[in-house]
Structure formats: structure tokens, C-alpha cells
């Protein structure tokens, strides 16, 4: 198979590596020429130093050349670059190509998910070819061939299963799903909760606070995803709880590290400068707040992270999330309308098939 990976950063390179281990011909494209040169020399010295890349992988500076023969196109650029890259790629992609976005995030100006952005810029003929890969996966661990499982969501079952087979290697196990919106909302909102988790640790709290933040964070993300039409069970899978636990409990997560620094009382610009890379959760906090307001969904942890990042609130106020808010119940609160609908349906089923869909 011939593959084009657009975006030769950590994640694009790690997935390019996985595909190249199968003998696929992988062309990596990016605007960063030194990165492409280093890939052709079999190492991405900037984003994945120390990993020897297979010889079937090379840097390709021309987008047209990268896409001309590609049977699988992987979009791995940061979320805010997706529109411009998708627009440039649109006229160059072959009709029968499989498409997979591995980017997590929401476009800040429009509040569109990556699937909405790509549908906006790609011709109609390619919409059914689109799939979205997400799940608990640090790039460096995939490139070291540590066993990893991900979810690939798409609306066309046959296309999604072809992409699943393409990414399957002895160390990378993809599951398929038809819940694109659930997978996308989970992949974006978990970054904001990771900042809260890092902050708890930075403040000197420990396992209790982390577990509470992850669990209540999951409740918030589920509410938003369900309000947008997601299946709540998606949030219990790899793209939901899997990615949330990964991001919230490892110093490999940039978002966790930003939160940790803020929890220690350091300034955001200082922490970000030290990181030297983008922590998408800082932007995601804005988008998630706006999406929650639009959907009329309560997301107090995400709201608090937003207030710390953009309104000067002190991260030490994480304590007030636990101490001052009105007491609630779970899981009714957590699954909201969906749970009530489920119960009504359960009562109907118990009473016999009164309606054809019971
Ligand atoms: N790093 C990980 O472990 C990981 C894991 C899973 C998902 N992701 C997701 O993958 C996406 C990419 O993350 P990353 O970690 O690879 O980022 P990165 O910062 O390591 O790399 C981004 C790459 O995109 C390139 N780029 C930026 N703007 C571009 C443009 N306009 N045109 C062409 N290339 C452009 C940059 O030059 C860089 O090489 C994010 O949405 C992230 O959430 C990352």
C-alpha cells in the first residue's frame, strides 16, 4: 500500500513508522524541511529522536507528489492547521483513497470538530472515505512497538474496516466504531481534564484527587458528547476512558505537565516556554467551554481550567470544586437524559413488546 502522512511531527511519524513496518511505502509531508530531511535519513531527530525509521519511509517536500499515488492519506497536523492542509490537499487526493485523521481537537474560530472541518474543505466524493483515529497512545510508545490499542471511527463500515486493517500491526490493535462525534469530543475534552489532573498533583494532592478528577471529568465529557448525539458507551471505550486515564496520569502528556506547573503556582507562559511544544488542552479549554455553553451542558471542571488559563483564577481553587459546589447524585447526573430514556425503554421491554421498537 502507498501512504501519504501529512504532518511529520511526533504522531504522524509514529504512525508512519507503524505503517512502514508492514512494508507500506510511506511518504511523509510537512512544512518543516529539516524534519523531512532527517526522516529520509531514517530518524526524525526533532520529534522522535533515537528511533530508527524503516527504509520504506521517506520525507516528501511536495504535497502533490506525496498524494499523487497515495491509497491511504493520514492527516496528522495540529487541529488549527487542518483547514489549510485539507484545503491544499483536496484537489490532489485520488478518488478511491482511504482518509484517516489522527488529529484531536476543535477549530477555535468555528468550534468545528476535525470531521466537520474536513467535510467543509474536501469534495463530497471523499466524505464517505473519511475515518478518525483516536485512543490512548503516546507517539513514542507506538514507535517503540509497545502494545497499543486505538479506535477508528467512520460512517462507512467498509471503509472503516479497510483503514482498521491497514493500521493493524503486531503492536497496534485498532477497534472500529461508527460513533465519530463521540470519539472526537472525547479526544478533545480529555486534554482539559488532564490539565486539572496535573494541577492536583502539582498542588501536592495524590491518588484520591486524581481518581475523583478523572471520574468527574469523564462525567462532564460524557454529558457534552451525549448532547452532541454520541453513544454514551463510546465514552467507556478506548477513545473515552482509555485516553482520559492515559492523559491524566502520565508526565508524557503535555497537558498534564502544563497543569502540574500551574498547580505549583507557576505562570502559564513560563510553563509553556519550558515545554517547547503545543499543549492542545490550552486551546481546547476555550473550545470546550464554548461548546458546553452552546449545548447547555454543565462542565464545572473544564470551566475552572478555563478560568485559570484565561481569567486569572488561582489553580489552588481546585479545592473549591470539591468543597463549595452543591451536592449531587451519580450516575443519574452523569448520564442525564440518556439514562432516563434507557429506563423508560427498559420498563417498556419488561411490560412486553407494546411498540415495534421495544
Ligand atoms: N504526540 C502524541 O503522542 C499524539 C498521540 C495521539 C494523538 N496526537 C494528536 O496528533 C496531532 C498532532 O500532534 P503531534 O504530537 O504529532 O504534534 P507535533 O507538534 O509533534 O507535530 C505537528 C507537525 O505538524 C506540522 N505542521 C504544523 N502546521 C502545519 C501546516 N500548516 N502544514 C503542514 N505541516 C504543519 C509541524 O511542522 C509538525 O511537524 C494532535 O492533534 C495531537 O493531539 C498526538
Amino acid at each position: 500500500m502507498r501512504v501519504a502522512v501529512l504532518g511529520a511531527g511526533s504522531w504522524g511519524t509514529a504512525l508512519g513508522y507503524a505503517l512502514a513496518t508492514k512494508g507500506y511505502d510511506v511518504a511523509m509531508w510537512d512544512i518543516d524541511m529539516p524534519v523531512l530531511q532527517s526522516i529520509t535519513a531514517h530518524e526524525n531527530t526533532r520529534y522522535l529522536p533515537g528511533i530508527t525509521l524503516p527504509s520504506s519511509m521517506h520525507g516528501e517536500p511536495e504535497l502533490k507528489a506525496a498524494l499523487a499515488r497515495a491509497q491511504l492519506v493520514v492527516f496528522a497536523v495540529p487541529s488549527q492547521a487542518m483547514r489549510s492542509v485539507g484545503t491544499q490537499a483536496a484537489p490532489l487526493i485520488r478518488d478511491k483513497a482511504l482518509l484517516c485523521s489522527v488529529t484531536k481537537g476543535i477549530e477555535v474560530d468555528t468550534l468545528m470538530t476535525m470531521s466537520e472541518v474536513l467535510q467543509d474543505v474536501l469534495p463530497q466524493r471523499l466524505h464517505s472515505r473519511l475515518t478518525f483515529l483516536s485512543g490512548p497512545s503516546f507517539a513514542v510508545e507506538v514507535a517503540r512497538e509497545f502494545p497499543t490499542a486505538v479506535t477508528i471511527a467512520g460512517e462507512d463500515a467498509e471503509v472503516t474496516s479497510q483503514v482498521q486493517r491497514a493500521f493493524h500491526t503486531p503492536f497496534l490493535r485498532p477497534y472500529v466504531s461508527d460513533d465519530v462525534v463521540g470519539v472526537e469530543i472525547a479526544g478533545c475534552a480529555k486534554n482539559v481534564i488532564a490539565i486539572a489532573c496535573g494541577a492536583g498533583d502539582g498542588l501536592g494532592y495524590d491518588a484520591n484527587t486524581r481518581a475523583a478528577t478523572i471520574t468527574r471529568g469523564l462525567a462532564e465529557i460524557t454529558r457534552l458528547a451525549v448532547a452532541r448525539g454520541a453513544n454514551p458507551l463510546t465514552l467507556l471505550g478506548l477513545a473515552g476512558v482509555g485516553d482520559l486515564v492515559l492523559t491524566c496520569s502520565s508526565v508524557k502528556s503535555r497537558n498534564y505537565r502544563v497543569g502540574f506547573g500551574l498547580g505549583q503556582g507557576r505562570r502559564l507562559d513560563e510553563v509553556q516556554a519550558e515545554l517547547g511544544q503545543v499543549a492542545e488542552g490550552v486551546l481546547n479549554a476555550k473550545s470546550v467551554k464554548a461548546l458546553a455553553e452552546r449545548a447547555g451542558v454543565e462542565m464545572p471542571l473544564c470551566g475552572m481550567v478555563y478560568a485559570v488559563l484565561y481569567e486569572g483564577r488561582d489553580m489552588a481553587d481546585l479545592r473549591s470544586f470539591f468543597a463549595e459546589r452543591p451536592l449531587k447524585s451519580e450516575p443519574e447526573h452523569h448520564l442525564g437524559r440518556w439514562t432516563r430514556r434507557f429506563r423508560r425503554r427498559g420498563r417498556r421491554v419488561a411490560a412486553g413488546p407494546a411498540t415495534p421498537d421495544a
Side-chain angles (χ1 to χ4, degrees):
M1 181 179 262
R2 290 180 302 275
V3 182
V5 179
L6 313 184
S10 323
W11 193 216
T13 305
L15 289 173
Y17 172 99
L19 293 160
T21 61
K22 300 177 76 169
Y24 294 171
D25 176 355
V26 179
M28 305 289 303
W29 173 83
D30 201 285
I31 44 171
D32 189 331
M33 293 306 136
V35 161
L36 295 185
Q37 281 158 7
S38 77
I39 288 173
T40 301
H42 308 305
E43 185 183 352
N44 186 336
T45 45
R46 170 141 191 223
Y47 291 105
L48 277 180
I51 306 280
T52 303
L53 302 175
S55 56
S56 59
M57 211 172 155
H58 68 279
E60 172 53 72
E62 295 296 330
L63 182 59
K64 191 171 177 187
L67 293 173
R69 294 166 65 240
Q71 296 158 299
L72 169 63
V73 180
V74 179
F75 291 88
V77 290
S79 53
Q80 305 315 310
M82 186 61 91
R83 182 173 292 277
S84 105
V85 171
T87 304
Q88 293 172 65
L92 307 172
I93 297 174
R94 288 154 51 114
D95 283 358
K96 290 276 179 318
L98 299 165
L99 311 179
C100 187
S101 161
V102 301
T103 297
K104 297 169 183 169
I106 303 276
E107 192 175 50
V108 174
D109 297 341
T110 62
L111 298 185
M112 284 177 163
T113 59
M114 293 303 102
S115 66
E116 291 168 331
V117 170
L118 284 171
Q119 287 189 359
D120 213 22
V121 299
L122 295 180
Q124 183 78 34
R125 68 182 165 87
L126 294 174
H127 290 189
S128 66
R129 315 296 294 168
L130 276 167
T131 62
F132 301 86
L133 184 151
S134 192
S137 45
F138 286 128
V140 66
E141 296 191 16
V142 169
R144 287 192 184 142
E145 304 193 9
F146 292 0
T148 301
V150 293
T151 301
I152 298 176
E155 277 165 17
D156 183 313
E158 178 48 33
V159 167
T160 315
S161 99
Q162 284 180 44
V163 176
Q164 175 187 39
R165 288 195 294 276
F167 276 103
H168 184 209
T169 73
F171 54 92
L172 185 59
R173 179 174 175 77
Y175 288 77
V176 289
S177 162
D178 60 2
D179 188 4
V180 174
V181 70
V183 164
E184 286 196 294
I185 294 291
C188 165
K190 55 99 195 184
N191 288 335
V192 187
I193 301 301
I195 294 178
C197 266
D201 290 352
L203 283 159
Y205 305 142
D206 201 349
N208 293 3
T209 314
R210 198 176 317 118
T213 308
I214 290 174
T215 313
R216 294 313 305 166
L218 180 65
E220 292 187 12
I221 297 171
T222 305
R223 279 201 293 270
L224 178 62
V226 168
R228 303 258 314 189
N231 178 345
L233 293 177
T234 300
L235 284 298
L236 297 181
L238 291 161
V241 79
D243 207 2
L244 186 65
V245 168
L246 176 98
T247 318
C248 287
S249 52
S250 171
V251 289
K252 284 185 193 147
S253 158
R254 300 170 201 170
N255 298 298
Y256 173 93
R257 294 213 304 269
V258 163
F260 191 87
L262 293 172
Q264 286 180 317
R266 300 172 62 203
R267 286 201 332 266
L268 176 61
D269 55 351
E270 189 190 325
V271 178
Q272 282 196 302
E274 191 178 280
L275 210 58
Q277 290 175 314
V278 178
E280 296 219 16
V282 175
L283 282 180
N284 296 157
K286 263 190 197 168
S287 318
V288 167
K289 179 173 185 284
L291 282 179
E293 282 169 1
R294 189 187 271 183
V297 164
E298 198 199 351
M299 300 187 78
L301 267 172
C302 290
M304 205 200 63
V305 171
Y306 175 89
V308 171
L309 295 175
Y310 297 107
E311 294 172 345
R313 191 166 171 184
D314 192 337
M315 210 26 136
D317 286 354
L318 182 62
R319 207 182 173 83
S320 70
F321 171 84
F322 293 92
E324 290 165 17
R325 295 173 53 255
L327 294 173
K328 310 256 169 136
S329 63
E330 72 161 357
E332 181 72 23
H333 180 58
H334 170 163
L335 291 177
R337 278 183 302 235
W338 178 81
T339 313
R340 286 193 288 278
R341 206 181 321 144
F342 183 76
R343 283 196 187 148
R344 276 201 301 277
R345 178 180 268 231
R347 277 199 295 272
R348 282 209 308 271
V349 171
T355 59
D357 68 339

